[in-house]
Amino acid sequence: MTTISEILNKERFTKEDIVKLLKTKGEESKLLLDKAREVKVKHIGNKVYYRGLIEFSNICAKDCYYCGIRRSNKNTNRYEIGTKDILFAAKFAHENRYASIVLQGGERTDNVFIENVDNLLKKIKEQTNGELGITISLGEQSEEVYKRWFDSGAHRFLLRIEASNRELYNKIHPNNDLHNFDKRLDALKTLQNLGYQTGTGGMVGLPFQTYENLAEDLLFYKKFDIDMVGMGPYIEHAETPMYVHSKDLLPQKERFNITLKMIAILRIMMPDINIAAATALQSIDPLGREKALKIGANVIMPNITPTIHRKEYQLYENKPCIDEGADDCTGCLEARISLVGDKVGYGEWGDSKHYFNRTKK
Ligand code: 5AD
Ligand code: FES
């Protein structure tokens, strides 16, 4: 039988190897996490890049079974932050040398929305002399729209595949044209072809999800040659259809630990990509994101959404930092990051090295 050390020394992991690594406990698990730290420091160093997260609207046309802001949830107070407030948050990020922001919102494809985002991108670029990097996370759009937003200043895009296994994807989404696995794949490919630094990811610990499914996710990211990944634990939300499966889930702490192992394995498999320490980790453990940085992640997304709207952007329950303003939220972040041996790359875009390695090939 192959030992964990032997697997860790392999050039390439098979699905079976990944499943074994995901099931490690105690000392064996520590071997994995230590190796991932070593790979991270060797290939990309110990710098952490900030992406100020602005969740500018929770109006969503989709109906994903797991998500608290899904269209059919009538108990959510829908909001949209005005241009002035978004520009203010972007200014905060720029002045505090975050270097990049992420504009995230519910998915919409109507013209008013497309136009609004386009204007925002141009204004943010203008206001910061092109210095602020902009990542967008706005779902599936047409190639034309992706191109338009790219030309207006967005240079990275996050579109999680959520679950790379088609059957699992179909179980966690409604079965209709708006939630189509092939369309999602096409959207990711389009983003990559247009020249975006392309990010994807998924949830860990979903109902019906197996260890094999998780291994498939990591192999998918590798095969897709993805530049950035964000993976977070699935967290149940009472006002979603998936809540009925709550009793079948692994305990939250276990979902958290498996997510850390997913990050560590991926860091070893793809040493030069950007990996985000997902916010959902912090919902389970107050130091969750820092723990992820320690073992492989290199990007963190401090929430800079104006506080009054935080309560309404609840994709899952117990979302952290809902009551804090951007300042309080980031004040002690730097200290927590230094506790795990990393330092903040203030004023640096911190682009995915993989993107440059991939595109110069
Ligand atoms: N638990 C954890 N993550 C969730 N997301 C949506 N709903 C949940 C949930 N209940 C994640 C999805 C989405 C991202 C913005 O938030 O992966 O892509
Ligand atoms: Fe909004 Fe899934 S519910 S994108």
Side-chain angles (χ1 to χ4, degrees):
M1 216 183 76
T2 340
T3 65
I4 293 301
S5 305
E6 280 164 355
I7 294 176
L8 288 173
N9 282 321
K10 280 185 165 188
E11 196 68 23
R12 260 175 191 276
F13 297 156
T14 62
K15 191 155 143 184
E16 293 69 39
D17 292 335
I18 298 174
V19 169
K20 271 193 194 158
L21 292 172
L22 286 172
K23 289 182 175 169
T24 51
K25 294 207 162 33
E27 272 307 304
E28 286 192 331
S29 164
K30 193 172 175 308
L31 284 179
L32 163 65
L33 304 181
D34 287 351
K35 165 97 185 191
R37 172 79 195 171
E38 198 185 299
V39 171
K40 166 175 153 166
V41 173
K42 180 168 168 218
H43 289 267
I44 54 166
N46 68 343
K47 268 196 197 157
V48 176
Y49 302 102
Y50 279 180
R51 315 281 186 238
L53 176 64
I54 307 173
E55 295 159 329
F56 70 89
S57 168
N58 67 352
I59 302 170
C60 191
K62 292 184 112 174
D63 234 352
C64 308
Y65 290 152
Y66 44 83
C67 185
I69 64 165
R70 64 197 298 272
R71 177 193 184 137
S72 300
N73 182 7
K74 303 288 180 238
N75 293 327
T76 293
N77 190 12
R78 302 289 164 171
Y79 74 88
E80 193 171 6
I81 303 181
T83 306
K84 204 168 121 245
D85 290 340
I86 299 174
L87 291 177
F88 188 80
K91 188 159 171 270
F92 169 88
H94 188 229
E95 283 172 355
N96 286 275
R97 307 189 59 233
Y98 278 22
S100 289
I101 55 166
V102 178
L103 282 180
Q104 191 174 72
E107 189 170 316
R108 278 173 61 184
T109 52
D110 55 281
N111 286 335
V112 175
F113 180 75
I114 293 165
E115 194 72 35
N116 186 23
V117 170
D118 200 54
N119 280 330
L120 271 173
L121 293 170
K122 288 183 185 144
K123 286 204 173 115
I124 293 170
K125 280 286 165 189
E126 198 181 288
Q127 172 184 280
T128 62
N129 308 316
E131 283 167 20
L132 196 64
I134 312 177
T135 306
I136 44 179
S137 176
L138 300 169
E140 289 164 47
Q141 304 286 342
S142 67
E143 176 168 359
E144 185 202 337
V145 171
Y146 282 153
K147 166 111 180 45
R148 186 163 167 203
W149 289 345
F150 187 79
D151 292 340
S152 296
H155 70 134
R156 309 184 187 112
F157 203 108
L158 305 175
L159 182 71
R160 284 187 175 181
I161 190 71
E162 312 296 358
S164 68
N165 178 286
R166 184 185 293 270
E167 284 75 44
L168 180 57
Y169 187 93
N170 289 338
K171 281 185 191 154
I172 64 173
H173 296 100
N175 197 345
N176 61 30
D177 220 36
L178 207 57
H179 303 80
N180 181 294
F181 185 71
D182 290 309
K183 286 198 175 155
R184 195 137 189 112
L185 279 181
D186 285 347
L188 264 180
K189 285 201 189 97
T190 305
L191 289 165
Q192 217 173 30
N193 291 338
L194 284 171
Y196 276 100
Q197 286 177 47
T198 309
T200 191
M203 286 170 285
V204 178
L206 287 161
F208 323 113
Q209 193 177 40
T210 63
Y211 281 99
E212 283 72 22
N213 292 153
L214 291 169
E216 286 161 16
D217 284 348
L218 299 184
L219 292 166
F220 170 84
Y221 307 146
K222 173 106 183 158
K223 184 154 179 240
F224 210 93
D225 219 0
I226 210 76
D227 303 311
M228 322 179 285
V229 173
M231 295 177 282
Y234 163 67
I235 299 171
E236 54 277 46
H237 190 301
E239 276 146 9
T240 63
M242 220 144 93
Y243 198 70
V244 297
H245 300 290
S246 299
K247 59 181 186 327
D248 307 325
L249 298 171
L250 290 170
Q252 285 201 351
K253 193 74 207 157
E254 188 55 20
R255 279 175 254 164
F256 177 88
N257 287 334
I258 300 175
T259 307
L260 286 191
K261 286 185 256 183
M262 287 284 282
I263 293 174
I265 300 167
L266 184 63
R267 173 54 71 205
I268 300 170
M269 290 169 70
M270 302 188 77
D272 62 352
I273 62 169
N274 277 354
I275 304 181
T279 310
L281 286 164
Q282 197 190 355
S283 294
I284 299 183
D285 178 335
L287 285 175
R289 292 177 307 169
E290 291 78 1
K291 288 179 183 170
L293 294 174
K294 187 169 177 195
I295 55 86
N298 69 323
V299 164
I300 195 163
M301 295 159 54
N303 198 334
I304 58 167
T305 308
T307 322
I308 43 162
H309 294 295
R310 298 247 186 119
K311 280 193 180 57
E312 290 145 353
Y313 201 84
Q314 288 223 57
L315 309 178
Y316 43 84
E317 289 172 346
N318 198 15
K319 206 161 167 248
C321 278
I322 293 182
D323 298 320
E324 296 163 31
D327 285 295
D328 322 82
C329 205
T330 52
C332 54
L333 186 59
E334 184 181 327
R336 293 202 306 265
I337 289 172
S338 67
L339 281 178
V340 297
D342 282 357
K343 58 173 191 255
V344 182
Y346 285 113
E348 295 175 50
W349 274 15
D351 284 321
S352 165
K353 288 199 170 45
H354 186 79
Y355 173 80
F356 298 104
N357 293 336
R358 168 168 76 78
T359 47
K360 79 169 179 241
K361 265 182 209 159

